[in-house]
Amino acid sequence: MKKTLLLGILILLSACDDGDLQIERVDFDTVSLASCGFEDDPLDTTFFFKIDGDEAFLLELEEGLLIDETSTEGTLTSSLGGSSSLVYRLFSDDVSSDYFCSTIPVLEPTVINENTAEAGDIAVNTKVTAVSKDVKTYSHTILISGLVLTNEQNESIIDSSTLTYGTFKTSTPTSINLEVPFTDYEAITNFSECTSAIVEGSIRLYKTINDEYVSLDIPLSALANEVTEVDTPRTATLENGEFNYTVLDTVVTDEMICTTAALSEEIISHNFISSGGAINVETVASEPDGAGAVTYTHTISINTVVLVLKGNGDDITDETLAALDNFVLGTYTTVGN
């Protein structure tokens, strides 16, 4: 009896009279994606499978397609029959994950039919789907299009639609949860700045990393072209959201940061807003150049900041985090005489 599995609209490329082609349609939409979980780093996972009774859909994914970064559609791709492989198997009885993950080969059930993908395109779309104070969770959705499956009798079926093979989740620490908070941002040499003031009397400085950013509305007076004394920095408070750490489910653009307007409703934003703490600025000066101009380097630190993870106003309430110790956010330079 032929198996019936829904994968989309399948076109029979070569038929035969004795019914050897076991797949008519492929349906694994309601079956969860699984892996063996052997890797120390889940991002190194390349083997995935979906089991439905006596059927299995096996994918060997090209290395490097799973990254803890939000991807731009069409950038993480591979080809079936090339760097990635896909196989449909029909077994003599129900099969379990032990068949694929056991260190000792399992003899039963046996494979009675196998169909291999000769062609098709793989795309992995990755984005943030959950954020806590400790971790960002990424969902890697694996899509297959133009699938051509061929059996041992060289009979083939093709699905011209795009199907969702499944979603695999990984997590990575937030910038707050690094051994020293926000050291990933300190490593970025230069701040960007908004061309217009978001808060009167201040300048908004910011740095971005893929799907997240930090921004600081720092008073212009804190960036005065004057050298500070040792252990006597200029200070300003962080009581009203002057410091902001934001994670989005899309790649950040400058326009998203340098505005007071709400983001598109299609974008999910996770916002950590300062409700206490201080900005410390230590300033040193260079020797005058040939024109007499002096470069002032302002080292900006954040001290005992209290961040609030904002809720969505419905079923998720605000969460106040424990105060963070002093950390350096970066340096900013100005020029004067």
Side-chain angles (χ1 to χ4, degrees):
M1 178 177 181
K2 295 182 180 179
K3 304 301 293 182
T4 299
L5 307 106
L6 176 61
L7 207 134
I9 300 174
L10 298 175
I11 302 172
L12 188 61
L13 295 183
S14 64
C16 64
D17 295 332
D18 59 7
D20 287 335
L21 186 61
Q22 295 295 314
I23 300 180
E24 289 179 343
R25 300 191 309 171
V26 180
D27 184 8
F28 281 91
D29 288 349
T30 60
V31 181
S32 299
L33 185 69
S35 68
C36 294
F38 293 148
E39 294 76 12
D40 293 333
D41 184 349
L43 293 175
D44 292 334
T45 305
T46 58
F47 177 62
F48 301 93
F49 55 91
K50 304 182 82 171
I51 297 172
D52 187 9
D54 58 355
E55 305 164 273
F57 214 19
L58 317 175
L59 174 65
E60 184 66 41
L61 193 65
E62 180 181 354
E63 293 181 355
L65 293 184
L66 301 182
I67 57 174
D68 279 340
E69 293 182 2
T70 294
S71 64
T72 301
E73 188 173 342
T75 58
L76 300 175
T77 60
S78 183
S79 297
L80 293 172
S83 301
S84 298
S85 61
L86 184 71
V87 174
Y88 162 77
R89 285 180 184 170
L90 175 63
F91 291 86
S92 59
D93 201 349
D94 286 356
V95 66
S96 71
S97 60
D98 289 342
Y99 181 92
F100 305 107
C101 300
S102 177
T103 55
I104 300 175
V106 179
L107 300 180
E108 296 290 341
T110 58
V111 178
I112 61 175
N113 183 267
E114 181 169 289
N115 298 265
T116 302
E118 298 295 331
D121 296 312
I122 296 280
V124 180
N125 292 338
T126 299
K127 67 178 182 178
V128 175
T129 50
V131 175
S132 70
K133 66 182 179 63
D134 295 323
V135 298
K136 299 191 297 179
T137 299
Y138 284 90
S139 291
H140 312 269
T141 301
I142 303 171
L143 304 174
I144 300 173
S145 59
L147 176 61
V148 177
L149 286 172
T150 303
N151 68 5
E152 295 175 353
Q153 288 75 38
N154 204 32
E155 302 162 330
S156 298
I157 53 176
I158 183 170
D159 184 357
S160 59
S161 66
T162 298
L163 67 105
T164 300
Y165 180 72
T167 298
F168 183 66
K169 292 186 177 182
T170 60
S171 61
T172 188
T174 63
S175 295
I176 296 171
N177 198 33
L178 300 177
E179 184 174 352
V180 177
F182 297 104
T183 48
D184 49 348
Y185 283 96
E186 182 187 0
I188 300 172
T189 304
N190 297 316
F191 283 101
S192 298
E193 60 184 85
C194 298
T195 56
S196 58
I198 307 301
V199 176
E200 186 175 355
S202 298
I203 182 174
R204 177 165 292 182
L205 304 179
Y206 62 91
K207 295 180 178 181
T208 65
I209 302 176
N210 183 245
D211 48 30
E212 64 174 57
Y213 68 89
V214 292
S215 66
L216 179 66
D217 291 312
I218 185 169
L220 293 172
S221 58
L223 301 173
N225 288 337
E226 297 176 1
V227 174
T228 56
E229 296 182 9
V230 176
D231 296 328
T232 310
R234 298 186 197 90
T235 63
T237 62
L238 291 170
E239 296 174 350
N240 299 303
E242 291 85 358
F243 177 70
N244 189 350
Y245 170 53
T246 296
V247 181
L248 306 178
D249 67 344
T250 188
V251 177
V252 174
T253 65
D254 294 344
E255 292 76 13
M256 296 174 181
I257 305 171
C258 296
T259 182
T260 57
L263 297 176
S264 165
E265 293 182 356
E266 297 178 355
I267 298 174
I268 298 176
S269 176
H270 308 271
N271 300 289
F272 297 81
I273 307 296
S274 64
S275 64
I279 307 168
N280 291 341
V281 180
E282 298 178 335
T283 303
V284 297
S286 69
E287 294 296 326
D289 63 14
V294 176
T295 298
Y296 294 87
T297 301
H298 311 276
T299 300
I300 302 172
S301 300
I302 305 298
N303 189 34
T304 57
V305 64
V306 176
L307 295 176
V308 177
L309 174 57
K310 303 299 289 185
N312 61 11
D314 298 324
D315 56 343
I316 302 177
T317 59
D318 294 353
E319 178 184 0
T320 300
L321 281 58
L324 299 176
D325 292 334
N326 185 65
F327 59 88
V328 176
L329 196 58
T331 60
Y332 181 74
T333 59
T334 57
V335 178
N337 293 320

